[in-house]
Amino acid sequence: MAREQSLTLRDIIRIVGRLNVSERTQAFAQIMADQRETRLDGLLLREVDGPTDREVRVRDRDGRTRPMLMFGANDYLGLANHPYVRERMAEVLRAGGAGISGPPLLNGYTSLTRSLEERLAAYEGKDNAMLFSSGYAANVGMMSGLPNRRDLVVYDTHSHASFHDGVRMAGNPVRSFAHNDPEALDAVLTEHRGDGDVFVCVEGVYSMSGDLAPLDQIAAQCRRHDTLLLLDDAHGTGVAGPLGQGTATRFGVEDAVTAIVGTFSKSFAVSGGFIAANAAVIEYLRFFSRSYMFSSALPPTTMAAVHAGLDLIEREPERHGHLMALCQYTADGLRQLGHPADERTPIFPIPVPLGMDIRASVHDFHEQGIFLNHIEFPAVGTAEQRFRVSLSAAHTFEDIDRLMESVEAVWHRHGPQGDSMPAEPTVA
Protein backbone atom coordinates (compact mmCIF):
# COMPACT_ATOMS: atom_id res chain seq x y z
CA MET A 1 0.00 0.00 0.00
CA ALA A 2 1.56 3.31 -1.03
CA ARG A 3 2.15 5.88 1.65
CA GLU A 4 -0.06 9.00 1.60
CA GLN A 5 1.80 12.00 0.21
CA SER A 6 2.45 14.61 2.91
CA LEU A 7 1.73 18.31 2.61
CA THR A 8 4.77 20.40 1.83
CA LEU A 9 5.54 23.66 3.63
CA ARG A 10 4.64 25.42 0.40
CA ASP A 11 1.19 23.80 0.53
CA ILE A 12 0.75 24.92 4.12
CA ILE A 13 1.85 28.50 3.40
CA ARG A 14 -0.59 28.68 0.48
CA ILE A 15 -3.44 27.39 2.64
CA VAL A 16 -2.96 29.83 5.53
CA GLY A 17 -1.41 32.80 3.73
CA ARG A 18 -4.60 34.80 3.11
CA LEU A 19 -6.13 34.40 6.57
CA ASN A 20 -5.98 36.99 9.35
CA VAL A 21 -3.54 36.40 12.18
CA SER A 22 -5.96 34.58 14.48
CA GLU A 23 -7.28 32.34 11.71
CA ARG A 24 -3.87 31.54 10.20
CA THR A 25 -2.19 30.70 13.50
CA GLN A 26 -5.03 28.37 14.47
CA ALA A 27 -5.17 26.82 11.00
CA PHE A 28 -1.41 26.29 10.95
CA ALA A 29 -1.48 24.67 14.39
CA GLN A 30 -4.27 22.31 13.28
CA ILE A 31 -2.47 21.34 10.06
CA MET A 32 0.71 20.57 11.97
CA ALA A 33 -1.22 18.55 14.57
CA ASP A 34 -2.88 16.52 11.80
CA GLN A 35 0.49 15.90 10.17
CA ARG A 36 1.98 14.65 13.43
CA GLU A 37 -1.00 12.40 14.04
CA THR A 38 -0.51 10.71 10.65
CA ARG A 39 3.33 10.72 11.05
CA LEU A 40 3.68 12.84 7.93
CA ASP A 41 5.23 15.86 9.64
CA GLY A 42 8.74 17.06 8.87
CA LEU A 43 10.24 15.67 12.10
CA LEU A 44 11.11 19.11 13.38
CA LEU A 45 11.62 19.85 17.08
CA ARG A 46 12.82 16.32 17.76
CA GLU A 47 13.60 16.00 21.46
CA VAL A 48 17.21 15.03 22.09
CA ASP A 49 17.50 13.47 25.55
CA GLY A 50 21.05 14.04 26.79
CA PRO A 51 24.23 15.58 25.39
CA THR A 52 24.98 16.02 21.70
CA ASP A 53 27.65 13.58 20.53
CA ARG A 54 28.22 11.16 17.64
CA GLU A 55 25.31 9.17 19.08
CA VAL A 56 22.32 10.73 20.81
CA ARG A 57 19.12 9.51 22.39
CA VAL A 58 15.95 10.92 20.84
CA ARG A 59 12.58 10.83 22.57
CA ASP A 60 9.81 9.99 20.13
CA ARG A 61 6.31 11.37 20.55
CA ASP A 62 5.13 8.06 22.02
CA GLY A 63 7.55 8.59 24.92
CA ARG A 64 10.12 5.98 23.87
CA THR A 65 13.74 6.95 23.40
CA ARG A 66 15.96 5.51 20.71
CA PRO A 67 19.70 5.75 20.04
CA MET A 68 20.51 7.56 16.80
CA LEU A 69 23.69 8.49 14.97
CA MET A 70 23.77 12.28 14.90
CA PHE A 71 24.42 13.68 11.43
CA GLY A 72 22.27 16.77 11.97
CA ALA A 73 24.45 18.86 14.30
CA ASN A 74 27.15 21.30 13.21
CA ASP A 75 29.53 20.02 15.89
CA TYR A 76 32.32 19.75 13.32
CA LEU A 77 35.21 19.26 15.75
CA GLY A 78 33.35 17.01 18.18
CA LEU A 79 33.56 19.45 21.10
CA ALA A 80 29.92 19.51 22.24
CA ASN A 81 30.48 16.81 24.87
CA HIS A 82 34.26 16.92 25.19
CA PRO A 83 35.41 16.38 28.82
CA TYR A 84 37.97 19.18 28.70
CA VAL A 85 35.40 21.69 27.43
CA ARG A 86 32.90 20.65 30.08
CA GLU A 87 35.48 20.96 32.85
CA ARG A 88 36.61 24.41 31.74
CA MET A 89 32.98 25.55 31.71
CA ALA A 90 32.42 24.09 35.17
CA GLU A 91 35.51 25.83 36.55
CA VAL A 92 34.37 29.21 35.25
CA LEU A 93 30.82 28.63 36.48
CA ARG A 94 32.09 27.90 40.00
CA ALA A 95 34.37 30.93 39.97
CA GLY A 96 32.44 33.47 37.92
CA GLY A 97 28.74 32.72 38.22
CA ALA A 98 26.09 32.13 35.59
CA GLY A 99 25.95 35.40 33.67
CA ILE A 100 26.95 39.04 33.35
CA SER A 101 23.54 40.75 33.06
CA GLY A 102 24.47 43.65 30.87
CA PRO A 103 25.84 44.73 27.48
CA PRO A 104 29.60 44.85 26.83
CA LEU A 105 29.76 48.65 26.62
CA LEU A 106 28.39 49.01 30.16
CA ASN A 107 29.02 46.27 32.72
CA GLY A 108 29.41 43.26 30.41
CA TYR A 109 33.11 43.45 29.53
CA THR A 110 35.42 41.20 31.56
CA SER A 111 39.01 39.98 31.50
CA LEU A 112 37.69 36.74 30.00
CA THR A 113 36.03 38.77 27.22
CA ARG A 114 39.24 40.66 26.47
CA SER A 115 41.42 37.54 26.41
CA LEU A 116 39.01 35.71 24.10
CA GLU A 117 38.82 38.66 21.71
CA GLU A 118 42.61 38.79 21.56
CA ARG A 119 42.82 35.05 20.90
CA LEU A 120 40.20 35.09 18.17
CA ALA A 121 41.86 38.06 16.47
CA ALA A 122 45.19 36.21 16.41
CA TYR A 123 43.47 33.02 15.19
CA GLU A 124 41.91 34.91 12.28
CA GLY A 125 45.04 36.96 11.54
CA LYS A 126 43.45 40.30 12.47
CA ASP A 127 44.20 43.10 14.95
CA ASN A 128 41.10 42.86 17.09
CA ALA A 129 37.76 41.11 17.54
CA MET A 130 34.41 41.65 19.25
CA LEU A 131 31.92 39.13 20.64
CA PHE A 132 28.19 38.87 19.91
CA SER A 133 25.31 36.94 21.47
CA SER A 134 24.96 34.83 18.30
CA GLY A 135 26.42 34.40 14.83
CA TYR A 136 23.16 35.84 13.50
CA ALA A 137 23.67 38.97 15.61
CA ALA A 138 27.27 39.28 14.40
CA ASN A 139 26.24 39.20 10.74
CA VAL A 140 23.35 41.59 11.30
CA GLY A 141 25.64 43.86 13.32
CA MET A 142 28.30 43.99 10.63
CA MET A 143 25.91 44.59 7.72
CA SER A 144 23.78 47.16 9.54
CA GLY A 145 26.72 48.92 11.19
CA LEU A 146 29.59 49.12 8.71
CA PRO A 147 28.18 50.24 5.32
CA ASN A 148 26.18 53.46 5.22
CA ARG A 149 23.31 54.41 2.92
CA ARG A 150 25.55 55.77 0.16
CA ASP A 151 27.55 52.52 -0.06
CA LEU A 152 26.74 49.65 -2.41
CA VAL A 153 26.54 46.09 -1.06
CA VAL A 154 27.21 43.33 -3.61
CA TYR A 155 26.44 39.80 -2.46
CA ASP A 156 26.41 36.18 -3.53
CA THR A 157 22.89 34.90 -4.22
CA HIS A 158 23.34 32.09 -1.67
CA SER A 159 24.02 34.48 1.22
CA HIS A 160 22.55 33.63 4.63
CA ALA A 161 19.29 35.09 5.98
CA SER A 162 21.22 36.99 8.67
CA PHE A 163 23.07 38.89 5.95
CA HIS A 164 19.82 39.86 4.23
CA ASP A 165 18.27 41.00 7.52
CA GLY A 166 21.28 43.20 8.28
CA VAL A 167 21.18 44.80 4.83
CA ARG A 168 17.45 45.47 5.15
CA MET A 169 18.09 47.17 8.49
CA ALA A 170 20.78 49.39 6.96
CA GLY A 171 18.75 50.27 3.85
CA ASN A 172 21.73 50.05 1.48
CA PRO A 173 21.50 49.81 -2.27
CA VAL A 174 22.29 46.19 -3.15
CA ARG A 175 23.24 44.09 -6.15
CA SER A 176 23.63 40.31 -6.31
CA PHE A 177 25.84 38.10 -8.43
CA ALA A 178 25.53 34.43 -9.40
CA HIS A 179 26.71 31.97 -6.79
CA ASN A 180 30.49 31.51 -6.69
CA ASP A 181 30.91 33.23 -10.07
CA PRO A 182 33.84 35.70 -10.06
CA GLU A 183 33.10 36.75 -13.66
CA ALA A 184 29.53 37.67 -12.71
CA LEU A 185 30.95 39.65 -9.78
CA ASP A 186 33.32 41.44 -12.17
CA ALA A 187 30.40 42.39 -14.41
CA VAL A 188 28.45 43.91 -11.50
CA LEU A 189 31.47 45.85 -10.24
CA THR A 190 32.31 47.08 -13.74
CA GLU A 191 28.79 48.47 -14.24
CA HIS A 192 28.70 50.26 -10.89
CA ARG A 193 28.92 54.03 -10.84
CA GLY A 194 28.78 55.80 -7.48
CA ASP A 195 30.72 57.83 -4.96
CA GLY A 196 30.38 55.55 -1.93
CA ASP A 197 32.29 52.47 -0.88
CA VAL A 198 31.48 49.08 -2.39
CA PHE A 199 31.29 46.05 -0.10
CA VAL A 200 31.51 42.56 -1.60
CA CYS A 201 29.97 40.01 0.75
CA VAL A 202 30.45 36.24 0.51
CA GLU A 203 30.49 33.17 2.72
CA GLY A 204 33.56 31.00 3.08
CA VAL A 205 31.58 27.75 3.25
CA TYR A 206 27.93 27.78 2.19
CA SER A 207 25.72 26.01 4.71
CA MET A 208 23.11 24.61 2.32
CA SER A 209 25.50 23.35 -0.34
CA GLY A 210 28.75 22.77 1.54
CA ASP A 211 30.82 24.36 -1.23
CA LEU A 212 33.71 26.77 -0.77
CA ALA A 213 33.79 30.28 -2.18
CA PRO A 214 36.67 30.77 -4.67
CA LEU A 215 38.08 33.42 -2.37
CA ASP A 216 41.33 33.83 -4.27
CA GLN A 217 39.43 34.84 -7.42
CA ILE A 218 36.91 36.95 -5.52
CA ALA A 219 39.71 38.75 -3.68
CA ALA A 220 41.42 39.44 -7.01
CA GLN A 221 38.24 41.07 -8.32
CA CYS A 222 37.98 43.17 -5.16
CA ARG A 223 41.56 44.38 -5.57
CA ARG A 224 40.97 45.17 -9.24
CA HIS A 225 37.87 47.25 -8.48
CA ASP A 226 39.14 48.69 -5.18
CA THR A 227 36.26 47.27 -3.15
CA LEU A 228 36.02 45.98 0.43
CA LEU A 229 35.59 42.24 1.05
CA LEU A 230 33.44 41.01 3.96
CA LEU A 231 33.52 37.30 4.78
CA ASP A 232 30.89 35.29 6.66
CA ASP A 233 32.97 32.30 7.72
CA ALA A 234 30.50 30.70 10.13
CA HIS A 235 30.96 27.24 8.62
CA GLY A 236 34.62 27.72 7.74
CA THR A 237 35.95 28.62 11.19
CA GLY A 238 37.60 25.56 12.69
CA VAL A 239 37.16 23.62 9.43
CA ALA A 240 38.70 25.26 6.35
CA GLY A 241 42.44 25.61 6.01
CA PRO A 242 45.28 23.40 7.27
CA LEU A 243 44.42 23.84 10.97
CA GLY A 244 40.87 25.11 10.56
CA GLN A 245 41.86 28.78 10.70
CA GLY A 246 39.25 29.62 8.11
CA THR A 247 38.59 30.02 4.43
CA ALA A 248 40.71 33.16 4.03
CA THR A 249 43.73 31.26 5.37
CA ARG A 250 43.00 28.32 3.10
CA PHE A 251 43.27 30.60 0.06
CA GLY A 252 46.01 32.82 1.49
CA VAL A 253 43.96 36.03 1.21
CA GLU A 254 43.76 37.10 4.86
CA ASP A 255 45.01 40.60 4.04
CA ALA A 256 42.36 41.06 1.35
CA VAL A 257 39.46 40.54 3.78
CA THR A 258 38.27 43.64 5.64
CA ALA A 259 36.23 41.81 8.27
CA ILE A 260 35.46 38.18 9.11
CA VAL A 261 32.30 36.98 10.85
CA GLY A 262 32.50 33.74 12.78
CA THR A 263 30.18 31.82 15.05
CA PHE A 264 30.57 29.67 18.15
CA SER A 265 27.56 27.49 17.30
CA LYS A 266 29.39 25.32 14.77
CA SER A 267 32.95 24.16 15.48
CA PHE A 268 32.88 25.43 19.08
CA ALA A 269 29.48 23.80 19.78
CA VAL A 270 28.04 26.58 21.95
CA SER A 271 26.29 29.86 21.05
CA GLY A 272 27.59 33.29 20.17
CA GLY A 273 29.58 34.90 17.39
CA PHE A 274 32.35 37.34 16.64
CA ILE A 275 33.75 39.80 14.13
CA ALA A 276 37.51 40.00 13.54
CA ALA A 277 39.00 43.01 11.73
CA ASN A 278 41.53 45.78 12.18
CA ALA A 279 41.34 47.77 15.40
CA ALA A 280 39.67 50.84 13.86
CA VAL A 281 36.83 48.79 12.31
CA ILE A 282 36.18 46.95 15.58
CA GLU A 283 36.11 50.14 17.66
CA TYR A 284 33.71 51.70 15.16
CA LEU A 285 31.39 48.68 15.22
CA ARG A 286 31.26 48.62 19.02
CA PHE A 287 29.27 51.86 18.80
CA PHE A 288 27.47 51.51 15.47
CA SER A 289 26.43 47.84 15.60
CA ARG A 290 23.03 47.81 17.27
CA SER A 291 22.99 44.05 17.84
CA TYR A 292 26.19 44.51 19.88
CA MET A 293 25.27 47.68 21.76
CA PHE A 294 21.79 46.52 22.76
CA SER A 295 22.42 42.83 23.57
CA SER A 296 23.61 41.34 26.82
CA ALA A 297 27.16 40.00 26.89
CA LEU A 298 27.97 36.32 26.55
CA PRO A 299 27.98 34.32 29.80
CA PRO A 300 31.40 33.35 31.21
CA THR A 301 30.73 29.64 30.60
CA THR A 302 30.31 30.22 26.86
CA MET A 303 33.56 32.16 26.65
CA ALA A 304 35.29 29.41 28.63
CA ALA A 305 34.03 26.81 26.15
CA VAL A 306 35.47 28.76 23.21
CA HIS A 307 38.79 29.17 25.04
CA ALA A 308 38.81 25.40 25.61
CA GLY A 309 38.00 24.76 21.96
CA LEU A 310 40.91 26.92 20.87
CA ASP A 311 43.14 25.00 23.29
CA LEU A 312 42.10 21.70 21.69
CA ILE A 313 42.57 23.04 18.15
CA GLU A 314 46.14 23.98 19.09
CA ARG A 315 46.96 20.82 21.07
CA GLU A 316 45.22 18.19 18.95
CA PRO A 317 45.69 18.95 15.24
CA GLU A 318 44.87 15.28 14.59
CA ARG A 319 41.24 16.12 15.43
CA HIS A 320 41.00 18.29 12.32
CA GLY A 321 42.92 15.69 10.33
CA HIS A 322 40.43 12.97 11.31
CA LEU A 323 37.53 15.21 10.28
CA MET A 324 39.07 15.74 6.85
CA ALA A 325 39.65 11.99 6.46
CA LEU A 326 35.96 11.41 7.28
CA CYS A 327 35.01 14.01 4.67
CA GLN A 328 36.98 12.16 2.01
CA TYR A 329 35.50 8.80 3.05
CA THR A 330 31.95 10.19 2.98
CA ALA A 331 32.43 11.84 -0.41
CA ASP A 332 33.76 8.58 -1.85
CA GLY A 333 30.78 6.66 -0.46
CA LEU A 334 28.18 9.10 -1.77
CA ARG A 335 29.74 9.18 -5.22
CA GLN A 336 29.64 5.38 -5.34
CA LEU A 337 25.89 5.63 -4.68
CA GLY A 338 25.49 8.12 -7.53
CA HIS A 339 25.28 11.31 -5.46
CA PRO A 340 27.55 14.33 -6.08
CA ALA A 341 29.88 15.15 -3.21
CA ASP A 342 32.67 17.57 -2.31
CA GLU A 343 35.20 16.32 0.24
CA ARG A 344 36.54 19.78 1.17
CA THR A 345 33.97 20.49 3.91
CA PRO A 346 31.96 18.40 6.43
CA ILE A 347 28.62 19.48 4.90
CA PHE A 348 27.13 17.03 2.41
CA PRO A 349 23.86 17.93 0.67
CA ILE A 350 22.07 14.98 -0.91
CA PRO A 351 19.68 16.37 -3.55
CA VAL A 352 16.13 15.02 -3.44
CA PRO A 353 14.73 14.28 -6.92
CA LEU A 354 11.43 15.83 -7.96
CA GLY A 355 8.64 13.45 -7.04
CA MET A 356 10.48 11.92 -4.09
CA ASP A 357 8.57 12.48 -0.83
CA ILE A 358 11.10 14.20 1.43
CA ARG A 359 8.87 13.84 4.50
CA ALA A 360 8.37 10.10 4.08
CA SER A 361 12.09 9.72 3.44
CA VAL A 362 13.17 11.58 6.57
CA HIS A 363 10.87 9.35 8.62
CA ASP A 364 12.60 6.36 7.04
CA PHE A 365 16.03 7.70 8.08
CA HIS A 366 14.65 8.30 11.57
CA GLU A 367 13.34 4.76 11.90
CA GLN A 368 16.74 3.44 10.87
CA GLY A 369 18.44 5.41 13.65
CA ILE A 370 19.99 8.08 11.39
CA PHE A 371 19.42 11.68 12.49
CA LEU A 372 19.98 14.10 9.61
CA ASN A 373 18.32 17.28 8.47
CA HIS A 374 16.02 17.73 5.52
CA ILE A 375 15.82 21.10 3.81
CA GLU A 376 12.53 21.80 2.08
CA PHE A 377 10.72 24.80 0.67
CA PRO A 378 10.74 27.67 1.60
CA ALA A 379 14.32 27.33 2.93
CA VAL A 380 15.27 26.31 -0.64
CA GLY A 381 13.43 26.20 -3.96
CA THR A 382 11.12 23.28 -4.68
CA ALA A 383 13.62 21.82 -7.16
CA GLU A 384 16.49 22.22 -4.68
CA GLN A 385 15.20 20.22 -1.72
CA ARG A 386 17.83 18.10 -0.08
CA PHE A 387 19.00 16.17 2.91
CA ARG A 388 21.97 17.72 4.66
CA VAL A 389 24.55 15.55 6.38
CA SER A 390 26.92 17.23 8.84
CA LEU A 391 30.00 15.33 9.98
CA SER A 392 31.81 15.57 13.29
CA ALA A 393 35.34 14.63 14.30
CA ALA A 394 33.62 12.44 16.90
CA HIS A 395 32.28 10.15 14.14
CA THR A 396 33.98 6.92 13.14
CA PHE A 397 34.40 5.34 9.73
CA GLU A 398 31.91 2.67 10.84
CA ASP A 399 29.35 5.43 11.46
CA ILE A 400 29.81 6.58 7.86
CA ASP A 401 29.27 2.99 6.65
CA ARG A 402 25.93 2.91 8.49
CA LEU A 403 24.98 6.23 6.93
CA MET A 404 25.75 4.96 3.42
CA GLU A 405 23.69 1.82 4.00
CA SER A 406 20.77 3.97 5.13
CA VAL A 407 21.04 6.35 2.16
CA GLU A 408 21.01 3.41 -0.23
CA ALA A 409 17.97 1.89 1.51
CA VAL A 410 15.99 5.14 1.54
CA TRP A 411 16.64 5.77 -2.14
CA HIS A 412 15.56 2.22 -2.95
CA ARG A 413 12.24 2.72 -1.13
CA HIS A 414 11.43 6.33 -1.98
CA GLY A 415 13.55 7.35 -4.94
CA PRO A 416 12.25 7.61 -8.51
CA GLN A 417 12.70 3.85 -9.02
CA GLY A 418 11.50 2.81 -5.55
CA ASP A 419 8.11 1.60 -4.45
CA SER A 420 7.51 4.52 -2.01
CA MET A 421 6.88 2.13 0.86
CA PRO A 422 7.68 3.32 4.39
CA ALA A 423 10.41 1.63 6.36
CA GLU A 424 9.58 -0.90 9.04
CA PRO A 425 10.15 0.68 12.44
CA THR A 426 13.19 -0.44 14.41
CA VAL A 427 13.16 -1.24 18.09
CA ALA A 428 15.18 1.16 20.23
Side-chain angles (χ1 to χ4, degrees):
M1 179 178 173
R3 183 172 187 148
E4 179 184 352
Q5 186 81 3
S6 58
L7 285 173
T8 66
L9 283 176
R10 186 175 189 174
D11 296 330
I12 294 170
I13 290 169
R14 186 170 61 248
I15 291 169
V16 304
R18 295 185 178 181
L19 304 176
N20 65 39
V21 64
S22 176
E23 292 171 335
R24 68 173 176 265
T25 54
Q26 292 182 39
F28 182 81
Q30 185 60 56
I31 290 170
M32 297 306 290
D34 292 343
Q35 295 256 306
R36 293 188 187 102
E37 183 68 24
T38 57
R39 295 183 59 80
L40 293 177
D41 66 299
L43 279 181
L44 302 175
L45 295 175
R46 281 182 276 187
E47 185 178 337
V48 178
D49 192 3
T52 293
D53 212 322
R54 55 170 286 276
E55 185 176 84
V56 297
R57 295 199 67 84
V58 176
R59 185 178 300 276
D60 284 344
R61 293 193 176 97
D62 60 8
R64 296 182 302 165
T65 60
R66 69 174 72 216
M68 300 187 72
L69 283 176
M70 173 54 80
F71 291 103
N74 297 321
D75 180 25
Y76 300 135
L77 294 178
L79 302 182
N81 195 35
H82 195 285
Y84 177 69
V85 176
R86 292 174 61 159
E87 181 54 34
R88 284 292 303 274
M89 294 178 75
E91 289 173 2
V92 169
L93 180 63
R94 289 190 291 266
I100 296 177
S101 299
L105 287 175
L106 299 180
N107 66 297
Y109 199 83
T110 70
S111 58
L112 195 61
T113 311
R114 177 187 52 76
S115 62
L116 183 54
E117 288 179 346
E118 291 173 351
R119 253 186 120 173
L120 288 166
Y123 184 69
E124 296 288 352
K126 295 298 181 184
D127 296 339
N128 205 347
M130 58 193 293
L131 308 183
F132 287 79
S133 58
S134 67
Y136 178 94
N139 226 359
V140 167
M142 180 172 69
M143 297 315 306
S144 64
L146 197 53
N148 64 32
R149 290 181 181 271
R150 60 195 285 270
D151 299 332
L152 175 68
V153 173
V154 181
Y155 65 95
D156 187 291
T157 54
H158 286 199
S159 294
H160 192 263
S162 56
F163 162 82
H164 290 281
D165 289 352
V167 170
R168 289 192 192 100
M169 186 182 295
N172 296 98
V174 297
R175 291 283 305 276
S176 65
F177 65 96
H179 176 56
N180 276 352
D181 189 338
E183 292 185 2
L185 172 61
D186 176 55
V188 171
L189 296 178
T190 300
E191 292 173 3
H192 173 64
R193 298 290 183 273
D195 58 358
D197 287 321
V198 178
F199 292 84
V200 173
C201 305
V202 299
E203 297 181 25
V205 177
Y206 287 88
S207 61
M208 289 296 172
S209 51
D211 54 346
L212 287 163
L215 270 189
D216 51 348
Q217 299 175 58
I218 289 172
Q221 295 290 3
C222 290
R223 290 191 187 99
R224 179 185 171 203
H225 293 278
D226 193 24
T227 65
L228 301 167
L229 178 57
L230 305 182
L231 175 63
D232 175 1
D233 213 24
H235 291 267
T237 303
V239 173
L243 294 176
Q245 288 176 279
T247 315
T249 301
R250 185 188 191 282
F251 287 96
V253 295
E254 302 95 316
D255 293 342
V257 180
T258 300
I260 299 172
V261 169
T263 182
F264 303 144
S265 59
K266 280 44 177 189
S267 291
F268 294 105
V270 283
S271 60
F274 68 93
I275 297 175
N278 68 41
V281 168
I282 294 299
E283 288 308 304
Y284 179 87
L285 283 173
R286 290 190 195 278
F287 290 88
F288 287 89
S289 171
R290 294 170 68 84
S291 58
Y292 177 83
M293 179 177 284
F294 297 105
S295 291
S296 186
L298 287 172
T301 49
T302 295
M303 292 187 283
V306 180
H307 267 297
L310 289 168
D311 289 344
L312 291 169
I313 289 172
E314 294 169 2
R315 297 174 190 173
E316 301 178 1
E318 64 275 10
R319 179 176 297 276
H320 181 262
H322 177 63
L323 175 63
M324 292 297 102
L326 289 173
C327 291
Q328 183 66 63
Y329 192 70
T330 303
D332 291 343
L334 287 172
R335 285 193 285 256
Q336 288 175 12
L337 295 176
H339 302 287
D342 184 342
E343 66 276 4
R344 297 178 298 171
T345 77
I347 303 169
F348 290 90
I350 308 177
V352 174
L354 289 173
M356 181 172 173
D357 190 336
I358 194 170
R359 296 278 184 88
S361 302
V362 77
H363 273 282
D364 198 336
F365 278 118
H366 184 87
E367 297 296 338
Q368 294 182 61
I370 300 295
F371 192 121
L372 48 67
N373 295 317
H374 67 293
I375 313 299
E376 59 179 301
F377 179 89
V380 294
T382 53
E384 299 173 340
Q385 296 188 126
R386 68 200 67 183
F387 294 104
R388 186 175 65 176
V389 172
S390 296
L391 300 187
S392 168
H395 285 129
T396 67
F397 292 103
E398 290 75 19
D399 295 338
I400 306 303
D401 289 338
R402 274 194 58 193
L403 172 65
M404 294 302 118
E405 292 168 2
S406 186
V407 170
E408 185 174 25
V410 168
W411 250 253
H412 175 71
R413 293 185 179 99
H414 303 284
Q417 304 304 316
D419 58 9
S420 298
M421 289 296 289
E424 293 297 323
T426 56
V427 178

